[in-house]
Amino acid sequence: MGYKIGEVARKVGCKVETIRFYEKAGLLPEPSRSAGNFRLYSDSHLEQLRLIRHCRSLDMSLDTIRNLLKLRLHAAENCREINDLVDAHICRVEAQMKLLTHLRGSLQKLRSQCSGPEASGTCEILLELSGCECHGAGVGS
Amino acid sequence: MGYKIGEVARKVGCKVETIRFYEKAGLLPEPSRSAGNFRLYSDSHLEQLRLIRHCRSLDMSLDTIRNLLKLRLHAAENCREINDLVDAHICRVEAQMKLLTHLRGSLQKLRSQCSGPEASGTCEILLELSGCECHGAGVGS
DNA sequence: CTTGACTCTATAGTTACTAGAGGGATTGTA
DNA sequence: TACAATCCCTCTAGTAACTATAGAGTCAAG
Ligand SMILES: [Zn+2]
Ligand SMILES: [Zn+2]
Ligand SMILES: [Zn+2]
Ligand SMILES: [Zn+2]
């Protein structure tokens, strides 16, 4: 008979609307319907939804997950591609980390510019922000 | 007489549309207009836009930047709040980094699950993804 | 006087959902 | 059996920070 959408949502821990959204986005196949037009999900739907949600918790994009789902159709043959997909995602995550590390450095340096309001009559942080060379200050035309 | 929008965009290194967007978003005051209705920016506009773009390059939200601009009206008195704002942003960045670090760990562990397609007739990565406890597998009702 | 580069407004697209309106279905209870 | 509560349905609009059109007007050079 299948699970109704609310039950599924409770099981995997997401909102009902999210499940309908995945269906419209082509990530979850359309389930069968009850006499009263309610969606009725099978265990394989549940499994696939769990996969999607877990991938999302790993911050994979829906597009990446779509690719993964395609590969899943022939999991054994596509083992290599699946590994590649995960590796590519790890790379994205590491790139983000590098960016954030750089950012934190810039912010700490910025933060250290302030020597208190008595020193210059203003807050030096603002001077730094609006007078930066990287956004065109002091560059003729 | 002031700079036209394209000139300003070139100076600070952003798109023309972005500048108009900031105006509509209340981050940049409306500039004066030429006889032909073209926007004409002053040096103080330029400064403020530079501040905005630099803050964006530090990944501050527009809302955070709006707050900063308010504080800027009385920079000396608000020195403390300005520092707090920057500190709060550093905290956000560090929280993100922590999250990414955790994520990378999970991904590397996931990646290590695969023992090649010969072992189990499928790719174990997929089993891990769809059979995870954290999204409800193996939990009765 | 026409071409081309620029500008204007207004609107729709992007990502991954979330929230609501306005209805129908089902269930439990009086 | 009537009614209320709780579910479910579709459709649309909102979020963040832009980006990308469409269709029109402006301006300088040749
Ligand atoms: Zn200061
Ligand atoms: Zn800068
Ligand atoms: Zn594998
Ligand atoms: Zn999981």
Side-chain angles (χ1 to χ4, degrees):
Chain A
M1 23 168 326
Y3 317 105
K4 281 190 285 182
I5 199 167
E7 207 175 343
V8 172
R10 231 175 316 108
K11 273 178 200 290
V12 309
C14 72
K15 307 222 165 179
V16 164
E17 297 87 20
T18 307
I19 300 175
R20 286 197 282 249
F21 169 76
Y22 288 151
E23 180 181 328
K24 216 168 37 171
L27 285 161
L28 208 50
E30 297 189 22
S32 56
R33 298 281 182 138
S34 74
N37 201 32
F38 287 12
R39 289 174 178 81
L40 293 177
Y41 293 95
S42 68
D43 282 316
S44 82
H45 282 104
L46 213 59
E47 236 188 39
Q48 182 153 339
L49 181 55
R50 236 182 270 121
L51 183 149
I52 295 169
R53 291 305 292 170
H54 196 90
C55 287
R56 286 295 300 133
S57 78
L58 296 170
D59 204 31
M60 290 187 197
S61 71
L62 297 189
D63 223 44
T64 299
I65 299 172
R66 251 185 291 269
N67 286 338
L68 187 60
L69 289 171
K70 265 182 226 149
L71 294 174
R72 193 165 83 128
L73 297 176
H74 304 283
E77 294 132 69
N78 290 328
C79 177
R80 161 57 55 94
E81 279 101 326
I82 292 169
N83 279 272
D84 288 352
L85 183 148
V86 174
D87 285 341
H89 186 58
I90 292 176
C91 281
R92 275 191 293 274
V93 168
E94 285 176 342
Q96 268 189 65
M97 289 180 66
K98 214 171 291 177
L99 217 119
L100 284 178
T101 302
H102 179 71
L103 229 104
R104 186 182 49 177
S106 302
L107 281 163
Q108 282 167 343
K109 193 174 145 215
L110 176 69
R111 173 61 227 259
S112 75
Q113 297 299 307
C114 175
S115 50
E118 297 79 19
S120 59
T122 183
C123 183
E124 281 107 333
I125 288 178
L126 293 173
L127 297 179
E128 187 81 5
L129 285 170
S130 64
C132 65
E133 258 184 54
C134 54
H135 292 92
V139 180
S141 176
Chain B
M1 27 166 326
Y3 317 106
K4 281 191 284 180
I5 197 166
E7 206 175 344
V8 172
R10 231 177 315 107
K11 275 177 198 289
V12 307
C14 71
K15 309 224 162 176
V16 164
E17 296 87 17
T18 306
I19 300 175
R20 286 196 283 248
F21 169 75
Y22 289 150
E23 180 181 330
K24 218 170 30 172
L27 285 160
L28 208 51
E30 296 189 22
S32 57
R33 299 280 183 140
S34 74
N37 201 31
F38 287 12
R39 288 173 179 81
L40 292 179
Y41 292 95
S42 68
D43 282 316
S44 82
H45 282 105
L46 214 58
E47 237 188 39
Q48 181 153 338
L49 180 55
R50 237 183 269 120
L51 183 149
I52 296 169
R53 290 307 291 170
H54 195 91
C55 286
R56 287 294 302 135
S57 79
L58 295 171
D59 203 31
M60 290 186 196
S61 71
L62 297 190
D63 224 45
T64 298
I65 300 171
R66 249 185 293 268
N67 285 338
L68 188 60
L69 289 171
K70 265 181 228 151
L71 295 174
R72 193 164 83 128
L73 297 177
H74 304 282
E77 295 132 70
N78 290 328
C79 177
R80 160 58 54 96
E81 279 100 325
I82 291 168
N83 279 272
D84 288 351
L85 183 148
V86 174
D87 284 340
H89 187 58
I90 292 177
C91 279
R92 276 192 292 274
V93 168
E94 285 177 341
Q96 266 189 65
M97 288 181 67
K98 213 170 290 177
L99 215 118
L100 284 177
T101 302
H102 178 73
L103 227 105
R104 185 181 51 177
S106 303
L107 281 162
Q108 282 168 342
K109 192 174 145 214
L110 176 71
R111 173 60 226 259
S112 75
Q113 298 297 308
C114 176
S115 51
E118 298 80 18
S120 58
T122 183
C123 183
E124 282 107 334
I125 288 178
L126 294 173
L127 297 179
E128 188 81 4
L129 284 171
S130 63
C132 64
E133 256 183 57
C134 53
H135 291 92
V139 180
S141 179

